[in-house]
Amino acid sequence: MIRILHQVFQTGTITEPLAASDRFERLGNRLQEEIRRRFQGSLAVRLVDAGSCNGCELEIHAANNPYYDIERFGIHFTASPRFADLLLVTGPVSINMQTALEMTYDAMPAPKLVLAMGDCAANCGLFGCDNYAIAGSVADIIPVDGVIHGCPPSPTDLIQGILALLA
Amino acid sequence: MTLLSNTWFAERLGDHGIHSKYLEDHHPAHMPCLEIRRLDWAHAAGEAKRLGMRLVAVWAAEAGKHDVDAEGRRALYSYMAFAHPEHRHALLRTELNGEQPQIHSISAHFIAACRMERTMQDMFGIDVTDIPDNRRWIKHEQWPETAYGLRHTFDGNTPLSPDPQRADVDYDFLASESESVYEIPVGPVHAGIIEPGHFRFLAVGEQILNMEERLGFVHKGIERAMKGRNAIEGIRLAARVSGDSTVGHAWAFAQACEYAADIEIPPRARHLRGVLCERERIANHIGDIGAICNDAAFAFMHSQCARLREEMARLNLAIFGHRLLMDTLKPGGVRADVNDAQIQQLVAQTQSIADEVEHLRAIYADTPSIQQRVIGAGRVSVQEAGDLGLLGYAGRASGHYPDERIEEGYPPYDTLDVPVPEGKLGDVATRVWVRFEEIAAASRMVVAWLQQLPGGEIATPWTAPEAGVSGFAAIESWRGEIAAWVRFGMEEKIDRYFVRDPSVINWLGLELAVRTVPVPDFPLVNKSFNCSYSGNDL
Ligand code: SF4
């Protein structure tokens, strides 16, 4: 236990108010304002991977790491679409995931915000919409409120995308 | 690097009355492709088993556009690849009857073949006789019966419309008749931030009796989408077969193309590929160790590991231009060079991360609450691992040690010793132990290569081979062996790309491992395998 505490103190707080990610911090603060104003301080996000290569998921995980710690702005990921304010979708929508995506969307309470994350979600990316196994981009399947480009978008892009959607 | 043709397997088959013909248009010669008669198919697989080979993959391919017969028909072939620890890889091919394609199953010899054979049925309409499991796999229930995604007669460019007649067809999961056994369906959308797939548990109380995987949800037609791209475009697609193994997949694809085109990449590019691939290994192992601990409520490790992983991602971006190292390879070499200052940065970071990981490892080993959860959890026996042919750390934790960095010994791994962590117990603790060992070994390799980085070019100009030429490569990604087979068609375009991610085989290991655990331990065991859904579903 002593060693754990020692390591914890030695690492210190790395969550960034640092100059290096000043931008992230500023974006985050503005986002927190919006979330406070519109969602009583907490934005619940349900992620659906509708066919991604898993690169986008790695960056969502990164947004939760101690450097970015997206939760401090009031954003947290929820298991159930029933509590979700925002549906974050990655990947081109595969034929085999279309129904699951639609059901998740239907299960959410209004207002259902939908954010398409990554080039695949935006326009099928390198896999192409002219593909037998792909039903389309996210906007082809459910109404989309915002798009974040990138392959994959970085954690900063993600937070910026959420801010652009709410502001 | 061109080695003499490897006749070992052909001779062994000949001893047992199986005649084979060496195919000249396949490369490299040390991993030959042999044509055999269709009726020898299952027999040849049986011989491979007796010779101590493991199954690498079984797949199918149609002849390309350049290769149609007088009546405009294209031949249909089925392929299988095996690997022997000393005698390396060998491929077998046989031609099927194009009108009524049929092939005998080899699942009786290699059970891991079964899902790949089901995929052949789904994608080509090949009737695999005596297959132990005849259900659809990648092609889900609602697809029309004749939607054979990889046949040239199928329209691959229009999104498929589900067959309304099949709307109510369900996948036939293994069920129990007992009243006290209940089913837990999980997925395809899981609780956390992970890829989609369906798990069907049969449980009594807390105890799992059986877990069955239903995958294919993220099938996005990658093999079909590769058709018609040249190697330069194609590698970007291959790099997205599974985003967490982007270097591994890009390398396997590039190597297969380079073998086909008989191109050697410059020494500096080889070393840099090694550095990239080992960095990918380190980052993923660190991330997974943290996630495994997190699933056992040891959040401290999770934060620490996530921190180290982020530091690697940032340096990746600064030096190689991408946080996850996507698109850092190209056919013929690598895209970005490193200067002396960057080499210093990489060496310094690699060493400091290796030290930090050792420190965390000591804490992990000294914390009874996590040890109690991982020791003995989710065991796969040595026998089971061998039967399935488990790859990567899943194999190395269970007494099965295939490692292409050693067996195939492709550069730059021929310049140093790759240590093999020889685990036997096959539980979560051993899979974690293997990963810690691999982080340490990979760090040493990265530093060694960077300190003796050869000068010169970072790429050889790419020139595509003639139509009909194919190449095969096996690359040890962080998850295990990736096998890729690429055949070129007309106008320098690829006309068939087949890839087998290690997950295709390791998913089977997970099914076995969770038969001994209570339901709440499933996430922990699952994470210790961390198979790719995307890499499996393609
Ligand atoms: S946008 Fe890029 S990283 Fe994200 S799922 Fe698509 S290919 Fe993968």
Side-chain angles (χ1 to χ4, degrees):
Chain A
M1 198 60 204
I2 288 291
R3 284 160 83 178
I4 294 182
L5 289 175
H6 182 251
Q7 174 75 15
V8 167
F9 285 122
Q10 205 173 36
T11 308
T13 305
I14 55 169
T15 306
E16 298 204 297
L18 307 168
S21 71
D22 217 1
R23 187 160 144 259
F24 184 83
E25 183 74 6
R26 277 203 309 275
L27 288 169
N29 288 340
R30 278 173 55 206
L31 186 55
Q32 198 170 15
E33 273 307 301
E34 287 301 323
I35 292 175
R36 195 172 299 136
R37 198 163 61 80
R38 298 186 47 193
F39 294 93
Q40 297 195 338
S42 129
L43 182 78
V45 181
R46 172 67 248 195
L47 164 81
V48 171
D49 168 347
S52 95
C53 78
N54 77 31
C56 281
E57 280 62 37
L58 288 176
E59 290 298 51
I60 301 173
H61 277 292
N64 282 297
N65 77 28
Y67 275 97
Y68 302 103
D69 190 18
I70 197 171
E71 266 204 54
R72 68 190 149 130
F73 306 126
I75 298 167
H76 67 101
F77 286 82
T78 163
S80 169
R82 298 273 179 214
F83 326 126
D85 305 304
L86 173 76
L87 182 62
L88 183 65
V89 189
T90 61
V93 182
S94 73
I95 295 279
N96 290 347
M97 271 306 284
Q98 183 178 354
T99 310
L101 176 64
E102 288 165 344
M103 286 172 73
T104 308
Y105 179 77
D106 291 342
M108 283 173 65
K112 320 158 184 248
L113 291 173
V114 177
L115 189 53
M117 175 183 179
D119 289 346
C120 288
N123 56 26
C124 303
L126 281 169
F127 305 105
C129 287
D130 54 345
N131 180 325
Y132 72 94
I134 292 175
S137 67
V138 179
D140 294 332
I141 311 300
I142 53 175
V144 165
D145 302 290
V147 172
I148 311 174
H149 287 278
C151 182
S154 67
T156 312
D157 298 336
L158 174 61
I159 206 149
Q160 193 164 27
I162 300 177
L163 177 63
L165 184 66
L166 300 188
Chain B
M1 208 181 4
T2 317
L3 298 177
L4 293 181
S5 114
N6 176 354
T7 55
W8 178 81
F9 193 38
E11 284 162 16
R12 298 291 89 68
L13 289 177
D15 293 345
H16 290 89
I18 301 172
H19 177 72
S20 65
K21 185 172 139 247
Y22 175 81
L23 295 175
E24 300 282 345
D25 55 7
H26 172 85
H27 301 285
H30 68 268
M31 298 196 267
C33 185
L34 309 167
E35 175 110 52
I36 60 170
R37 292 184 309 169
R38 184 150 43 102
L39 48 86
D40 287 332
W41 189 250
H43 182 191
E47 283 311 319
K49 180 93 188 178
R50 267 183 287 282
L51 290 166
M53 300 177 97
R54 67 181 166 86
L55 175 76
V56 174
V58 38
W59 71 99
E62 274 182 338
K65 220 197 256 170
H66 57 277
D67 202 12
V68 290
D69 70 9
E71 279 111 66
R73 280 187 307 239
R74 297 185 188 201
L76 180 60
Y77 300 99
S78 103
Y79 288 80
M80 51 186 172
F82 302 100
H84 188 279
E86 282 154 47
H87 303 283
R88 306 195 172 185
H89 289 68
L91 282 64
L92 297 180
R93 174 180 105 167
T94 197
E95 184 171 347
L96 307 182
N97 176 342
E99 306 295 313
Q100 273 184 323
Q102 208 178 53
I103 189 82
H104 200 280
S105 169
I106 59 163
S107 299
H109 304 293
F110 297 97
I111 192 61
C114 189
R115 285 179 179 172
M116 295 185 251
E117 291 179 333
R118 288 163 70 187
T119 306
M120 284 162 65
Q121 302 205 115
D122 288 353
M123 293 295 155
F124 289 91
I126 296 169
D127 172 20
V128 181
T129 52
D130 274 349
I131 188 168
D133 181 349
N134 215 359
R135 294 170 297 175
R136 291 180 176 195
W137 181 236
I138 296 300
K139 181 163 146 185
H140 279 195
E141 281 48 60
Q142 281 66 43
W143 295 31
E145 183 55 48
T146 53
Y148 300 128
L150 291 172
R151 295 299 294 259
H152 75 280
T153 43
F154 172 78
D155 173 11
N157 298 332
T158 314
L160 199 80
S161 325
D163 181 349
Q165 309 246 300
R166 301 187 56 92
D168 298 325
V169 183
D170 278 331
Y171 189 73
D172 191 11
F173 285 98
L174 184 74
S176 166
E177 315 241 297
S178 162
E179 274 191 14
S180 46
V181 173
Y182 59 94
E183 292 187 10
I184 315 173
V186 180
V189 179
H190 295 300
I193 304 168
I194 45 170
E195 300 178 78
H198 184 94
F199 303 130
R200 185 66 60 95
F201 296 88
L202 297 180
V204 175
E206 288 272 273
Q207 188 61 43
I208 298 172
L209 290 183
N210 191 62
M211 187 278 287
E212 197 180 351
E213 295 153 0
R214 173 79 182 107
L215 303 176
F217 288 91
V218 286
H219 172 67
K220 41 195 169 287
I222 291 178
E223 288 167 280
R224 180 81 185 209
M226 187 64 88
K227 233 182 158 88
R229 300 188 193 204
N230 64 33
I232 310 270
E233 299 156 358
I235 194 166
R236 302 194 62 218
L237 182 61
R240 285 156 182 81
V241 165
S242 181
D244 52 16
S245 325
T246 178
V247 175
H249 275 285
W251 194 350
F253 174 86
Q255 174 91 276
C257 291
E258 288 150 9
Y259 276 143
D262 200 11
I263 284 181
E264 271 210 40
I265 71 167
R268 191 174 177 87
R270 294 175 184 169
H271 275 61
L272 286 172
R273 281 185 182 180
V275 169
L276 293 165
C277 194
E278 295 307 317
R279 273 183 79 81
E280 179 168 273
R281 190 181 318 275
I282 296 170
N284 278 295
H285 282 344
I286 290 178
D288 278 6
I289 290 172
I292 293 165
C293 290
N294 197 41
D295 278 339
F298 190 28
F300 160 80
M301 276 293 271
H302 184 49
S303 314
Q304 295 286 337
C305 290
R307 167 176 72 87
L308 297 179
R309 186 178 192 158
E310 176 66 20
E311 285 167 9
M312 292 190 74
R314 290 180 176 200
L315 195 60
N316 285 344
L317 177 67
I319 295 183
F320 300 106
H322 196 286
R323 285 169 49 89
L324 307 178
L325 301 173
M326 278 179 175
D327 305 325
T328 49
L329 271 66
K330 64 178 183 180
V334 294
R335 271 183 211 284
D337 205 350
V338 289
N339 60 32
D340 286 345
Q342 290 170 327
I343 291 175
Q344 292 316 321
Q345 275 178 295
L346 285 166
V347 168
Q349 187 189 58
T350 308
Q351 282 168 336
S352 88
I353 286 191
D355 289 347
E356 291 220 44
V357 168
E358 280 306 310
H359 182 62
L360 292 174
R361 181 183 190 168
I363 295 177
Y364 158 86
D366 263 3
T367 306
S369 60
I370 179 74
Q371 293 301 318
Q372 195 271 339
R373 292 292 301 278
V374 295
I375 293 175
R379 288 202 56 203
V380 179
S381 70
V382 174
Q383 172 77 36
E384 289 165 340
D387 288 347
L388 294 178
L390 290 190
L391 298 167
Y393 47 80
R396 291 194 269 278
S398 291
H400 193 61
Y401 313 122
D403 189 330
E404 293 319 306
R405 295 173 297 174
I406 299 166
E407 291 173 15
E408 184 39 30
Y410 50 92
Y413 298 98
D414 55 347
T415 57
L416 38 73
D417 277 336
V418 182
V420 185
E422 297 190 353
K424 289 217 165 44
L425 298 175
D427 55 356
V428 175
T430 312
R431 283 186 286 278
V432 171
W433 173 79
V434 171
R435 285 155 174 267
F436 273 122
E437 291 288 309
E438 291 193 2
I439 293 170
S443 308
R444 286 196 296 273
M445 288 188 250
V446 168
V447 171
W449 287 323
L450 286 169
Q451 285 175 342
Q452 33 167 301
L453 197 62
E457 298 292 315
I458 55 162
T460 307
W462 166 252
T463 39
E466 288 169 31
V469 177
S470 61
F472 175 85
I475 293 292
E476 192 75 14
S477 73
W478 69 275
R479 224 184 232 115
E481 176 205 55
I482 294 174
W485 180 76
V486 176
R487 190 186 61 211
F488 283 83
M490 295 191 296
E491 295 160 3
E492 312 201 334
K493 302 222 165 100
I494 290 160
D495 79 1
R496 180 80 173 93
Y497 164 58
F498 167 77
V499 59
R500 201 234 54 237
D501 187 90
S503 307
V504 171
I505 291 172
N506 285 357
W507 273 117
L508 298 163
L510 176 66
E511 283 190 343
L512 287 184
V514 298
R515 285 187 189 180
T516 57
V517 305
V519 179
D521 265 1
F522 174 75
L524 180 73
V525 180
N526 186 20
K527 205 74 222 174
S528 74
F529 279 87
N530 192 12
C531 298
S532 167
Y533 299 71
S534 184
N536 180 80
D537 299 351
L538 297 183

